[in-house]
């Protein structure tokens, strides 16, 4: 297979496409679409988001020290894109998208997005200014999941929510299951 050499750049794709809700101490709230997010640690549960300092949400998150990562779905693709290409300085994204502010369990200034199947409430523990982006490292303080996706045994069926991903400028559905964790070494019965 022939290869080309490109200048250094981040090509780790696909990524989750999430809507991050945030708020400030004056009661203003916003939604920013983020693809640069991920798990950092299991115990304590921690994740990160990376935000450009010029983004409207940056100062809200830095000031309040909190945010919510709201997982998005194919049904929310249009709202997800809108919240990534319009600035909260210019428009009320809640009103323009029809998304609903919900009550967070543990946060003071930040709402959840009711339409999202998973809402991950986070408190910032560290901010790393890294160049084009600042990384907000945060501890997960509460998680809300939609009853709609609970099965009769009490299992949350996350993969039935229609989660979507972002890859190189495109939103993608996640597609069909191709295996389960450990299937490559599982012994057949």
């Amino acid at each position: 297979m022939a290869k080309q050499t490109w200048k250094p750049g981040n090509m780790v794709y696909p990524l989750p496409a999430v809507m991050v809700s945030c708020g400030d101490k004056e009661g203003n709230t916003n939604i920013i679409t983020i693809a640069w997010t991920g798990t950092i640690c299991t115990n304590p549960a921690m994740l990160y988001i990376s935000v450009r300092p010029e983004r409207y949400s940056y100062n809200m998150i830095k000031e309040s020290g909190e945010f919510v990562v709201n997982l998005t779905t194919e049904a929310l693709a249009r709202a997800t894109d809108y919240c990534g290409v319009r600035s909260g300085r210019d428009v009320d994204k809640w009103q323009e998208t029809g998304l609903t502010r919900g009550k967070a369990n543990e946060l003071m200034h930040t709402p959840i997005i009711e339409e999202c199947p998973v809402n991950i409430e986070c408190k910032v523990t560290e901010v790393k200014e890294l160049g084009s982006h600042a990384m907000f490292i945060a501890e997960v303080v509460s998680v809300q999941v939609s009853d709609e996706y609970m099965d009769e045994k009490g299992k949350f069926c996350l993969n039935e929510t229609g989660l979507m991903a972002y890859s190189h400028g495109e939103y993608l559905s996640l597609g069909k299951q191709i295996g389960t964790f450990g299937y490559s070494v599982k012994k057949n019965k």
Side-chain angles (χ1 to χ4, degrees), residues 71-146:
L71 299 189
T72 59
T73 64
E74 292 177 38
L76 295 170
R78 189 171 203 76
T80 302
D81 183 64
Y82 186 90
C83 290
V85 296
R86 293 290 184 242
S87 174
R89 286 185 190 95
D90 304 323
V91 296
D92 179 340
K93 295 179 189 179
W94 299 96
Q95 182 178 337
E96 294 298 318
T97 60
L99 295 172
T100 309
R101 290 177 185 88
K103 177 94 174 89
N105 289 327
E106 298 293 327
L107 305 181
M108 298 279 300
H109 309 288
T110 304
I112 66 166
I113 300 173
E114 287 286 349
E115 291 79 6
C116 293
V118 178
N119 316 99
I120 307 166
E121 299 178 33
C122 300
K123 288 194 178 177
V124 177
T125 60
E126 186 178 350
V127 181
K128 291 192 157 294
E129 303 289 345
L130 298 170
S132 65
H133 288 71
M135 178 186 284
F136 291 91
I137 297 171
E139 186 168 348
V140 175
V141 295
S142 183
V143 177
Q144 295 185 43
V145 298
S146 297

Side-chain angles (χ1 to χ4, degrees), residues 133-176:
H133 288 71
M135 178 186 284
F136 291 91
I137 297 171
E139 186 168 348
V140 175
V141 295
S142 183
V143 177
Q144 295 185 43
V145 298
S146 297
D147 288 338
E148 176 182 349
Y149 299 102
M150 300 299 290
D151 71 12
E152 63 282 346
K153 294 178 184 174
K155 177 186 174 195
F156 182 61
C157 301
L158 179 63
N159 294 332
E160 293 179 14
T161 64
L163 293 174
M164 65 179 201
Y166 177 82
S167 182
H168 216 196
E170 298 176 345
Y171 300 104
L172 306 167
S173 62
L174 292 183
K176 65 180 182 163

